[in-house]
Amino acid sequence: MNLLKLAASIPSLDAKAVQKAQERQAQLTKPAGSLGRLEEITVQVAGITGKAVPSLGKKRVILCAGDHGVAAEGVSAFPSAVTPMMVLNFLKGGAAINALARQAGAEVQVVDVGVAADLPGSKNLFSAKIARGTRNFKVEPAMSGAEFQKAVELGFQLAQQAKKDKVVWVVLGEMGIGNTTSAAALMAALLPCAVEDVTGFGTGIDRTQWANKCRVIQEALQRHKLKPESPLEALRKVGGLEIATLAGVVLGCAKNRIPVVVDGFITSSAFLAAYRLNPKVKDFAFFSHRSEEPGHTKFYEMLGVQPLLEMKMRLGEGTGGALALNILEAAVRAHAEMATFESAKVPTKIEKKPKGSKTSVTS
Amino acid sequence: MNLLKLAASIPSLDAKAVQKAQERQAQLTKPAGSLGRLEEITVQVAGITGKAVPSLGKKRVILCAGDHGVAAEGVSAFPSAVTPMMVLNFLKGGAAINALARQAGAEVQVVDVGVAADLPGSKNLFSAKIARGTRNFKVEPAMSGAEFQKAVELGFQLAQQAKKDKVVWVVLGEMGIGNTTSAAALMAALLPCAVEDVTGFGTGIDRTQWANKCRVIQEALQRHKLKPESPLEALRKVGGLEIATLAGVVLGCAKNRIPVVVDGFITSSAFLAAYRLNPKVKDFAFFSHRSEEPGHTKFYEMLGVQPLLEMKMRLGEGTGGALALNILEAAVRAHAEMATFESAKVPTKIEKKPKGSKTSVTS
């Protein structure tokens, strides 16, 4: 699969569906524009799906897990052993993403792209391990060309599968100790911006560890000489297996006209790589929340986006995406299920009545 | 019922349940604090309900409808005839609040407190009409003392009923052409602040109508001589029947330890009256969204609150409250359903391992 060709083949929004959705919004029993961002969401979903009245349906969190060689540099508060244990937690339904996905009525597809441990077989686990973690990008490229290609193609296949399964919303999720370091390196290279502006405290490192994390990223950027014009190069050299897969999911969802919900800092770095290949992916994406990771605000500034939620979250897994899914689906539901002024016989204009006249209505 | 005594009897949060909820949050499988505002929500709900792990359960939008004598002054873009027609729309399930309540899994209790029209009997309608709308508060008090007392007591009874029905979340909703004028008058009197700062464009009036709306409110404030220290007086003289009832719902929910979700500008004016009686009601309330009505921001500034959502909505009915309910319930669900580090056997600290050792995990 030629990734540049794939990226170039992203369609445009369906202008006719957009217009029809706008017309319907104007007829629903509410003052014009009074549902604010819910109206904008609906109109965008109409443009994505090509349906003036988009359907409610299956929702899926695609949660990709992978380990990071750079974790050996002491950039995370947690050991890499947490990655497989959290994957088991996902499979048993005990993690935050499981609870929040249940709340949103979404299924969680757990994908092992690159966990550095043997995982037990489970009907809930999509096993697609490409490598036992990435290489330490401080000293060498995170992935080989073949590994990288496989990871992005896997993401595209996951999106194709979602289409086949009649999934109407895809949420991006991730797990991988060390992956805020990878995401920060990608943000610094592709926004582009200063390392210090996109490097945060991840799962809870201290000031000294933060300075070390910045140094590690800085050295990697110098070694690999990355440029915003070469997003695939950056994604391969300092990205993660799960991040490369998620970039493939973004491209695949756009190609298949499935609305895709971007979660926090990590999934945003995957989105950014896809966006640098073709900015049209933005039309197919919804941005769920502003993470506490400082680099997330830099990302939104560049993109000119106001995320849906500001909940001071910094957990990843797709948790912000699952939370925002409730809002996104609510928008589509209101659009689909509300009565029109005509069907509900609600007057739309001031009509003068004789003073003191009594009104009587029947159903 | 002595309303001042009722207001004085609001309990405090349960400090023990708050502490236990905080302890549980620290044990859940996530970096400490990483669920941000979701954690704060849960801890507050624990304090309200007295349960360290609050239950999921029945959710109810209490949607009170009433007409406003002041609508005769041309303060609204829609005629009063819209109030009963929208009530019929609620009963048939075709309004925005119906769709959004379905999304949140909440029931909608439609209460006729003061609609100025005869409504058909319906099993979905709680008929408690106190008057056919309020009087025009530009020239006389909106309610008599007896009407006002009845309205607040009705709200208290609705909260008692919710308790009896094992409702775990109450959302405040309203409908009443002219009620942004009433709410703006209450805000100006009780925040207090300048009329122009809390008067907005409601359902869509123009600049000239807005100037007239400000004048009407200004005249009413001069006539009735309202003060923040006398919230009941203000609520009776420039409030609405539905607003007085909602103030009673706020007091009743606090008294019965039920978390109450405040919606937009109108329900916030009802909350404000209750808050001026006893600021402790704030502990029992959640603030769902920032309405496009400019006065809503003044209200939040006074209260020192950051609402959960900013969706540029200005519809009322409880729509913002129903939308936020998804987030509020998600917080409680994550708290109740997540595994702990101990139960999931997830390591919490960096443990040094010999370099290159392979990890293997079993479920």
Side-chain angles (χ1 to χ4, degrees):
Chain A
M1 177 183 285
N2 184 318
L3 300 181
L4 293 175
K5 264 194 188 165
L6 166 61
S9 72
I10 305 294
S12 296
L13 292 184
D14 183 326
K16 204 164 172 181
V18 163
Q19 196 198 327
K20 279 190 177 171
Q22 284 167 335
E23 283 166 12
R24 176 167 169 80
Q25 276 293 326
Q27 292 161 7
L28 299 178
T29 46
K30 59 179 174 57
S34 63
L35 280 177
R37 293 193 73 178
L38 297 192
E39 301 189 13
E40 296 166 17
I41 290 165
T42 306
V43 168
Q44 189 183 341
V45 177
I48 292 171
T49 58
K51 294 180 182 180
V53 184
S55 319
L56 298 172
K58 207 187 274 190
K59 293 146 277 175
R60 178 176 292 173
V61 181
I62 301 183
L63 198 173
C64 297
D67 274 303
H68 290 259
V70 75
E73 300 292 336
V75 289
S76 176
F78 286 81
S80 287
V82 166
T83 305
M85 296 310 292
M86 281 305 296
V87 170
L88 295 183
N89 200 12
F90 300 145
L91 297 175
K92 286 181 185 162
I97 186 57
N98 301 105
L100 296 181
R102 280 192 289 271
Q103 175 72 15
E107 54 185 46
V108 180
Q109 181 181 40
V110 184
V111 184
D112 174 12
V113 194
V115 177
D118 296 323
L119 290 163
S122 160
K123 65 171 177 36
N124 296 325
L125 179 66
F126 189 103
S127 294
K129 203 193 290 289
I130 294 167
R132 295 176 74 89
T134 52
R135 295 177 191 80
N136 181 349
F137 69 63
K138 190 188 156 195
V139 293
E140 60 184 321
M143 289 165 257
S144 72
E147 285 166 347
F148 173 68
Q149 178 77 21
K150 262 196 208 171
V152 182
E153 281 187 17
L154 169 64
F156 181 76
Q157 298 303 334
L158 291 168
Q160 297 272 84
Q161 186 63 45
K163 183 72 177 182
K164 216 171 134 192
D165 294 345
K166 299 194 190 325
V167 168
V168 299
W169 286 99
V170 163
V171 175
L172 305 181
E174 46 61 44
M175 175 69 216
I177 294 299
N179 68 7
T180 62
T181 305
S182 189
L186 281 168
M187 291 280 187
L190 299 181
L191 281 176
C193 81
V195 171
E196 287 73 17
D197 287 348
V198 285
T199 304
F201 293 86
T203 48
I205 53 174
D206 64 23
R207 199 80 205 165
T208 313
Q209 290 167 307
W210 177 83
N212 173 56
K213 183 173 171 180
C214 288
R215 240 182 343 259
V216 167
I217 295 169
Q218 197 63 66
E219 280 188 43
L221 293 179
Q222 276 159 9
R223 172 180 303 273
H224 300 301
K225 300 185 181 55
L226 307 173
K227 287 175 300 197
E229 302 78 48
S230 307
L232 293 174
E233 183 95 345
L235 196 49
R236 177 173 86 79
K237 290 187 172 167
V238 301
L241 288 155
E242 82 283 31
I243 297 175
T245 303
L246 289 167
V249 173
V250 171
L251 295 171
C253 283
K255 175 89 181 167
N256 283 289
R257 312 193 76 99
I258 304 172
V260 64
V261 184
V262 181
D263 179 38
F265 188 59
I266 321 296
T267 62
S268 292
S269 76
F271 173 84
L272 178 58
Y275 178 80
R276 285 292 179 225
L277 285 174
N278 188 345
K280 280 167 90 176
V281 294
K282 185 180 166 190
D283 292 343
F284 295 84
F286 292 88
F287 299 90
S288 59
H289 80 120
R290 185 189 306 277
S291 156
E292 284 290 274
E293 278 288 319
H296 212 197
T297 290
K298 285 276 164 200
F299 166 75
Y300 284 131
E301 281 170 9
M302 183 282 289
L303 216 55
V305 156
Q306 190 70 29
L308 288 165
L309 299 170
E310 310 236 359
M311 302 296 288
K312 299 179 193 281
M313 287 163 64
R314 51 178 172 83
L315 176 51
E317 300 179 0
T319 48
L323 202 59
L325 202 47
N326 295 287
I327 308 292
L328 293 162
E329 190 176 54
V332 173
R333 185 183 291 273
H335 184 72
E337 298 183 358
M338 279 179 73
T340 60
F341 278 109
E342 201 182 332
S343 72
K345 299 185 194 116
V346 175
T348 54
K349 285 184 210 150
I350 291 276
E351 296 163 66
K352 294 283 173 203
K353 295 228 170 194
K355 219 169 179 180
S357 71
K358 285 191 174 179
T359 320
S360 177
V361 294
T362 50
S363 59
Chain B
M1 177 181 286
N2 183 319
L3 301 180
L4 293 175
K5 266 195 187 163
L6 165 62
S9 72
I10 304 293
S12 296
L13 292 183
D14 184 326
K16 206 166 171 180
V18 163
Q19 197 198 325
K20 280 190 176 170
Q22 283 166 336
E23 283 166 14
R24 178 169 167 80
Q25 276 294 325
Q27 292 160 7
L28 299 178
T29 45
K30 58 177 173 58
S34 64
L35 279 177
R37 292 194 74 178
L38 296 192
E39 301 189 13
E40 295 167 19
I41 289 165
T42 306
V43 168
Q44 188 183 342
V45 177
I48 292 171
T49 58
K51 294 180 183 179
V53 184
S55 319
L56 299 172
K58 207 187 272 188
K59 294 145 276 174
R60 178 177 291 171
V61 181
I62 301 182
L63 198 174
C64 298
D67 273 304
H68 290 258
V70 76
E73 301 292 335
V75 290
S76 176
F78 286 81
S80 288
V82 166
T83 306
M85 296 311 293
M86 281 305 296
V87 169
L88 295 182
N89 200 13
F90 300 146
L91 296 175
K92 285 181 187 164
I97 186 58
N98 301 105
L100 297 180
R102 281 192 289 271
Q103 176 72 14
E107 54 185 46
V108 181
Q109 181 181 42
V110 184
V111 184
D112 173 13
V113 194
V115 177
D118 296 322
L119 291 163
S122 159
K123 67 172 173 38
N124 295 326
L125 179 66
F126 189 104
S127 296
K129 203 193 292 289
I130 294 168
R132 295 177 74 90
T134 53
R135 293 177 192 80
N136 181 350
F137 68 63
K138 191 188 156 197
V139 292
E140 58 184 323
M143 288 165 257
S144 72
E147 285 165 349
F148 173 67
Q149 178 77 21
K150 263 197 209 170
V152 182
E153 282 186 17
L154 170 64
F156 181 76
Q157 299 302 335
L158 291 167
Q160 297 271 84
Q161 186 63 46
K163 182 75 177 177
K164 218 172 130 190
D165 294 344
K166 301 198 190 322
V167 168
V168 299
W169 286 99
V170 162
V171 175
L172 305 181
E174 47 61 44
M175 176 67 215
I177 294 301
N179 68 8
T180 61
T181 304
S182 190
L186 281 168
M187 291 281 186
L190 298 181
L191 282 177
C193 81
V195 169
E196 288 73 14
D197 288 346
V198 286
T199 303
F201 294 85
T203 47
I205 55 175
D206 65 23
R207 200 81 205 164
T208 312
Q209 291 168 306
W210 177 82
N212 172 57
K213 184 174 171 181
C214 289
R215 239 181 346 257
V216 167
I217 295 169
Q218 199 64 66
E219 281 188 44
L221 293 179
Q222 276 159 8
R223 173 181 302 274
H224 300 301
K225 300 185 180 57
L226 307 173
K227 287 175 302 198
E229 302 79 48
S230 306
L232 292 175
E233 184 94 346
L235 196 49
R236 177 173 85 79
K237 289 185 172 167
V238 301
L241 287 155
E242 82 284 30
I243 297 176
T245 302
L246 289 167
V249 173
V250 171
L251 295 172
C253 282
K255 175 86 180 171
N256 284 289
R257 312 193 75 99
I258 303 171
V260 64
V261 185
V262 180
D263 179 39
F265 188 59
I266 321 295
T267 63
S268 292
S269 75
F271 173 84
L272 179 58
Y275 177 80
R276 284 293 179 224
L277 286 174
N278 187 346
K280 280 167 89 177
V281 295
K282 185 181 166 190
D283 292 343
F284 295 83
F286 293 87
F287 299 90
S288 59
H289 79 121
R290 185 187 307 276
S291 156
E292 284 290 275
E293 279 287 319
H296 212 197
T297 290
K298 284 277 163 198
F299 166 76
Y300 284 129
E301 281 170 9
M302 184 281 292
L303 217 56
V305 156
Q306 191 69 31
L308 288 164
L309 300 170
E310 312 237 358
M311 302 296 287
K312 299 181 193 279
M313 288 164 63
R314 52 179 171 84
L315 177 50
E317 301 179 0
T319 48
L323 202 60
L325 203 48
N326 295 288
I327 309 291
L328 293 162
E329 191 177 55
V332 173
R333 185 182 291 271
H335 183 72
E337 297 183 359
M338 280 179 72
T340 61
F341 278 108
E342 202 182 328
S343 72
K345 298 186 196 118
V346 175
T348 55
K349 285 185 212 148
I350 293 275
E351 297 162 64
K352 294 280 171 205
K353 295 230 171 192
K355 220 171 176 178
S357 71
K358 284 193 175 178
T359 319
S360 178
V361 294
T362 49
S363 57

